[in-house]
Amino acid sequence: MAHGPSRSVACGIFPDQGTNPCLLNRQADSQPLRHQGSPLIRSSHVKRDLPDRDTQALLSTTQAMELRRRDYRVERPLLNQEQLEELGSQTSATGTLQWRTWFQCSHARARALLLQYFPVLAWLPQYPVRDWLLGDLLSGLSVAIMQLPQGLAYALLAGLPPVFGLYSSFYPVFIYFLFGTSRHISVGTFAVMSVMVGSVTESLAPDEAFLQALNSTVNVTARDAARVQAASTLSVLVGLFQVGLGLVHFGFVVTYLSEPLVRAYTTAASVQVFVSQLKYVFGLHLSSRSGPLSLIYTVLEVCWKLPQTVVGTMVTAVVAGVVLLLVKLLNDKLRRQLPMPLPGELLTLIGATGISYGVGLQHRFGVDVVGKIPARLLPPVAPSPQLFARLVGNAFAIAVVGFAIAISLGKIFALRHGYRVDSNQVAGAISSLFILIIIVKLGELFQDLPKAVLAAAIIVNLKGMLMQFTDICSLWKANRVDLLIWLVTFVATILLNLDLGLAVAVVFSLLLVVVRTQLPHYSVLGQVPDTDIYRDVAEYSEAREVPGVKVFRSSATVYFANAELYSDTLKQKCGVNVDHLISQKKKLLRKQELKLKRLQKENKLPKQAAASKGTSISINVNTSVIDIESNDVEGSKAKQVSTGTELEGIAASGQEDAKAPDMSSLKTLGLPQPDFHSLILDLSSLSFVDTVCLKSLKNIFRDFREIEVEVYMAACHSPVVTQLEAGHFFDASITKQHLFASVHDAVIFALQHPRSSPVNPVLVTKL
């Protein structure tokens, strides 16, 4: 690796600062650097003082000594991209074709696939019985105690008989015991999913479709049978969709569900659940509704039918709710003294069932109760293929929502406890066995349980999600963009229902990301004194622009959506009307060219002289104009011949005549010159480039070179450099020598190579 004389990389570059201890000057006693057998490289010397001089003077002696220990020194040559690649011996990464491994067959691969899809085979043989069995027995019992009232209650949300809530607390838990990967999730009924299922079952089997002609009452048996069939068919479709989502690794969808979005969505879902339980709290018979604005219509109908409230039902719900709240408060207060929380829901359900049976709430006060619960497992029934077409859209929406919620909760616990969600302990199996015992032997004991008590249990358990309304105040102070996502998600979910609301929320958040990349923060950078650090001069009062050098940076990557804004803001921040200046330059040069042709025609100049023009118009043209306008005709002719010879010489060499001023320069054309000779683009924020970005960067080079400003780039990441190469960005006019390892390298190079002449035939586009 051959190198010329090492350039000094300076921390301080302002001439008015006097002697700067951070200047990277060659030092006689500096040690030479070698790199892979390369010739001696005299390195540069960098010293960075963390505080400024005034601040350091105020520190105590001990603090000052400590800060001096933190100073560091870097010795290296000034590096552009070519030198950096040579110094670092960069090699292209050899990519492997992932699809080839998909079709490889081996014993190890077969075992890995088996353990991937049946995790129980991996963790069960290694299960520490002595350490975990007792804890799993207790946790399984506590989960079963919690799932019993929740299963009964959430079945009401789904519009199904309560026993199907118990089924949902048994089968999914046992299956997740075999296939699940989270140690803390216990699969069962969930309020959001239950509401989404209920909206489907009530729309397909509304009460109005099962009215009996004789007494105008609803045929509950036929209605429940139709809803169960719809729910079972929907469950099959949801399961098929979720299996497919798992096979295609659809877990990436969680990436697009930000925390404000999820919290707003669950808050809106809690409002949906709350409204859906009002009919059980007041004992009302409401019309079945689904789709957009169904929540608004339901609230209006509840308000309209409030005079029809069943007093016994309302009193039952209020008493049950107060008892549940008191138990929760007691649990919070005695949390450290109690070995496990008091099962408030279970105790309330048992007490309410006993009171209802003893007092006869259904017959005496018209309180609606759960009804018959079969003391057995019902045999499975095949789904109805006729309903597939009507349910496929809802099934996909429920599958995506359930998939996203499960993965989100699993990742929360995995991060908290330090494992990957890709082995569920036997607690799930134990809880499912407890639920099985309840279904087979104890379920019929809850036939007299009032539905109002289940509704009260649901509403009380919504307390945590409803408390998320306080996010509005905290987000207003912390991040109003996240607040906007929260509000849009909440309003969309309330008005459009759960499935469409989630879709609108995700689309809006993604569009907001795009909009924010279209409106990044652009800044002109200045050097922090005595350092190689460059910061926004508008934010750092001590940062100073380097004389003659303009450093520009964007806070976001440049791509098709903001490339034009990047270019426009760059020209605006530089304080130069670049487009107008180029336009004026072209007009003046065109006038000169027309004037030259006219004078050549009038004075019969040789055609060779006209054809011998180079890539730019030289001052020699102006010299001939002055000479031709001279009264001495003979002298004029002699000078014309001399001019033609000079033009031929310029065309042959392709170089400007250094002895004569250049007529194509801004100064000789009478146009204002920029107050800087070099422009440095800090590309450290770029994560990728597209074709629009490449064209925009090329245009920046072209335009600023036309106004006699050389352009450099700095701090590009290696993947971006690779994309620049793939897009054929580098050519004869823009090479890797224009790309530097850091902004400081580019600044030093620009100061050592100020652009004295405006035209280089190789670097400037022809006018």
Side-chain angles (χ1 to χ4, degrees):
M1 180 174 67
H3 291 271
S6 174
R7 300 184 180 95
S8 297
V9 182
C11 284
I13 53 181
F14 298 111
D16 58 346
Q17 289 182 345
T19 303
N20 191 330
C22 291
L23 285 174
L24 306 183
N25 300 322
R26 299 188 184 94
Q27 301 185 14
D29 57 346
S30 62
Q31 296 296 323
L33 257 153
R34 291 182 179 270
H35 177 69
Q36 297 183 351
S38 64
L40 293 180
I41 306 172
R42 186 162 302 278
S43 62
S44 301
H45 177 79
V46 179
K47 174 184 176 184
R48 179 184 296 174
D49 294 330
L50 294 182
D52 57 25
R53 298 177 183 137
D54 296 335
T55 304
Q56 192 168 3
L58 298 176
L59 297 175
S60 64
T61 305
T62 305
Q63 291 174 320
M65 292 177 63
E66 178 64 24
L67 288 171
R68 290 193 193 99
R69 294 192 193 101
R70 299 178 190 172
D71 294 353
Y72 65 87
R73 301 170 183 268
V74 177
E75 296 183 359
R76 67 171 179 83
L78 188 151
L79 296 173
N80 58 35
Q81 185 64 28
E82 284 185 353
Q83 296 167 340
L84 179 61
E85 292 177 1
E86 187 178 0
L87 182 66
S89 300
Q90 183 186 21
T91 57
S92 58
T94 56
T96 58
L97 297 178
Q98 183 68 25
W99 62 269
R100 291 183 177 178
T101 62
W102 297 347
F103 302 100
Q104 295 177 356
C105 184
S106 64
H107 175 75
R109 179 167 172 78
R111 184 176 182 275
L113 288 175
L114 182 64
L115 295 180
Q116 179 181 355
Y117 292 106
F118 294 91
V120 66
L121 299 178
W123 64 262
L124 189 58
Q126 304 175 2
Y127 181 78
V129 178
R130 293 183 178 180
D131 297 333
W132 289 358
L133 182 60
L134 180 60
D136 286 338
L137 286 172
L138 294 176
S139 62
L141 177 61
S142 63
V143 169
I145 291 173
M146 178 188 67
Q147 285 188 338
L148 171 61
Q150 283 191 358
L152 294 173
Y154 289 164
L156 300 180
L157 295 177
L160 301 174
V163 67
F164 287 92
L166 297 179
Y167 295 155
S168 299
S169 301
F170 168 69
Y171 290 109
V173 176
F174 188 76
I175 293 174
Y176 195 82
F177 159 76
L178 299 175
F179 299 98
T181 58
S182 174
R183 303 174 186 173
H184 295 86
I185 289 181
S186 180
V187 178
T189 54
F190 186 63
V192 175
M193 307 299 296
S194 300
V195 170
M196 296 182 72
V197 173
S199 65
V200 176
T201 57
E202 291 180 1
S203 63
L204 292 179
D207 292 339
E208 293 79 4
F210 298 93
L211 292 176
Q212 296 178 352
L214 297 177
N215 52 8
S216 299
T217 58
V218 178
N219 188 342
V220 177
T221 303
R223 182 201 65 186
D224 289 347
R227 290 183 176 181
V228 168
Q229 187 180 43
S232 61
T233 305
L234 181 65
S235 300
V236 171
L237 286 176
V238 170
L240 292 176
F241 276 124
Q242 289 193 341
V243 169
L245 295 177
L247 292 176
V248 300
H249 301 281
F250 196 69
F252 73 90
V253 72
V254 181
T255 306
Y256 305 106
L257 302 179
S258 63
E259 183 180 1
L261 187 150
V262 172
R263 292 178 67 88
Y265 183 76
T266 53
T267 304
S270 66
V271 175
Q272 295 263 10
V273 173
F274 177 82
V275 172
S276 68
Q277 296 306 294
L278 293 180
K279 62 180 180 181
Y280 298 110
V281 171
F282 297 107
L284 303 176
H285 295 282
L286 305 179
S287 303
S288 300
R289 290 185 175 87
S290 62
L293 300 180
S294 59
L295 182 71
I296 306 301
Y297 292 133
T298 301
V299 172
L300 293 177
E301 187 176 5
V302 169
C303 295
W304 181 260
K305 291 186 176 181
L306 275 180
Q308 304 176 16
T309 298
V310 178
V311 178
T313 301
M314 185 181 67
V315 171
T316 302
V318 171
V319 172
V322 171
V323 171
L324 288 171
L325 284 175
L326 291 177
V327 174
K328 286 185 177 293
L329 292 175
L330 187 62
N331 280 330
D332 293 338
K333 188 174 183 179
L334 303 178
R335 180 172 48 188
R336 297 181 179 180
Q337 287 78 14
L338 295 175
M340 61 179 296
L342 296 175
E345 288 85 357
L346 181 61
L347 295 177
T348 303
L349 262 61
I350 294 175
T353 303
I355 294 174
S356 176
Y357 177 78
V359 178
L361 294 180
Q362 182 182 17
H363 304 291
R364 295 180 60 183
F365 302 101
V367 177
D368 196 9
V369 297
V370 168
K372 184 178 181 180
I373 299 179
R376 58 188 174 87
L377 287 175
L378 297 179
V381 179
S384 176
Q386 294 82 5
L387 296 175
F388 281 177
R390 301 176 62 182
L391 295 175
V392 62
N394 300 101
F396 181 77
I398 295 174
V400 171
V401 173
F403 195 87
I405 290 175
I407 293 181
S408 299
L409 293 176
K411 287 186 178 294
I412 289 173
F413 286 111
L415 292 174
R416 183 178 300 174
H417 298 280
Y419 62 89
R420 285 183 59 85
V421 180
D422 261 349
S423 48
N424 188 33
Q425 303 168 357
V426 293
I430 293 173
S431 66
S432 64
L433 292 177
F434 280 125
I435 294 296
L436 178 62
I437 294 173
I438 293 172
I439 293 174
V440 175
K441 295 296 183 181
L442 304 178
E444 58 184 355
L445 298 179
F446 293 96
Q447 293 182 3
D448 291 314
L449 175 64
K451 291 183 179 180
V453 176
L454 296 177
I458 293 173
I459 293 174
V460 170
N461 284 325
L462 294 176
K463 174 188 173 184
M465 287 193 288
L466 292 175
M467 289 296 293
Q468 293 177 158
F469 277 111
T470 58
D471 291 352
I472 296 177
C473 298
S474 60
L475 291 176
W476 175 264
K477 299 176 182 178
N479 192 318
R480 297 186 183 181
V481 175
D482 285 345
L483 175 61
L484 183 61
I485 295 176
W486 199 101
L487 293 175
V488 170
T489 302
F490 179 81
V491 173
T493 306
I494 291 295
L495 297 180
L496 303 178
N497 225 335
L498 294 171
D499 46 0
L500 293 179
L502 180 62
V504 170
V506 172
V507 171
F508 177 78
S509 61
L510 293 179
L511 288 177
L512 198 59
V513 171
V514 174
V515 171
R516 295 175 76 175
T517 60
Q518 288 182 290
L519 301 173
H521 177 68
Y522 297 108
S523 54
V524 174
L525 305 184
Q527 186 192 30
V528 178
D530 297 341
T531 69
D532 59 347
I533 298 175
Y534 293 80
R535 291 294 183 264
D536 188 353
V537 294
E539 297 178 359
Y540 289 77
S541 59
E542 293 298 321
R544 296 289 185 269
E545 290 191 52
V546 180
V549 179
K550 191 76 68 173
V551 185
F552 181 77
R553 181 176 64 190
S554 170
S555 63
T557 192
V558 183
Y559 68 114
F560 69 92
N562 62 6
E564 184 177 358
L565 180 63
Y566 179 87
S567 300
D568 294 341
T569 309
L570 168 62
K571 296 173 182 178
Q572 178 185 359
K573 291 278 188 179
C574 288
V576 179
N577 194 337
V578 179
D579 297 331
H580 177 73
L581 198 57
I582 294 175
S583 176
Q584 293 298 316
K585 180 179 178 180
K586 287 182 178 181
K587 289 180 180 179
L588 293 175
L589 290 177
R590 193 175 297 112
K591 289 181 180 179
Q592 285 188 355
E593 185 178 3
L594 294 175
K595 190 173 183 179
L596 172 63
K597 289 181 179 180
R598 188 182 73 251
L599 293 175
Q600 286 176 342
K601 184 176 181 181
E602 291 177 355
N603 295 276
K604 299 180 180 179
L605 288 176
K607 294 182 179 180
Q608 293 81 358
S612 63
K613 292 184 296 181
T615 57
S616 62
I617 305 300
S618 176
I619 187 60
N620 296 329
V621 175
N622 190 47
T623 303
S624 64
V625 172
I626 298 174
D627 292 341
I628 290 172
E629 290 179 349
S630 175
N631 294 327
D632 189 352
V633 177
E634 293 181 359
S636 175
K637 290 181 179 180
K639 292 178 181 178
Q640 291 169 11
V641 175
S642 175
T643 301
T645 305
E646 291 177 0
L647 290 173
E648 290 176 356
I650 292 173
S653 63
Q655 301 293 332
E656 298 175 339
D657 190 353
K659 295 182 180 180
D662 193 344
M663 191 54 195
S664 63
S665 68
L666 297 176
K667 183 177 181 180
T668 55
L669 289 172
L671 296 175
Q673 294 177 279
D675 58 354
F676 57 97
H677 55 76
S678 300
L679 170 66
I680 298 174
L681 303 178
D682 182 358
L683 303 182
S684 58
S685 62
L686 264 65
S687 57
F688 68 93
V689 291
D690 57 7
T691 56
V692 178
C693 176
L694 295 179
K695 292 180 181 179
S696 178
L697 291 176
K698 279 183 173 289
N699 290 337
I700 290 172
F701 271 82
R702 179 199 64 197
D703 293 344
F704 278 89
R705 283 171 172 174
E706 294 288 1
I707 63 170
E708 305 167 13
V709 174
E710 187 52 68
V711 183
Y712 304 100
M713 301 178 297
C716 243
H717 301 295
S718 295
V720 177
V721 176
T722 303
Q723 294 175 13
L724 292 174
E725 293 174 333
H728 306 288
F729 177 77
F730 298 109
D731 52 23
S733 62
I734 307 175
T735 67
K736 288 186 178 180
Q737 295 179 359
H738 292 86
L739 176 58
F740 291 87
S742 69
V743 173
H744 195 60
D745 288 90
V747 170
I748 298 301
F749 184 86
L751 290 176
Q752 294 175 349
H753 299 80
R755 189 167 184 173
S756 57
S757 60
V759 177
N760 186 333
V762 178
L763 300 180
V764 173
T765 306
K766 292 182 180 179
L767 294 178

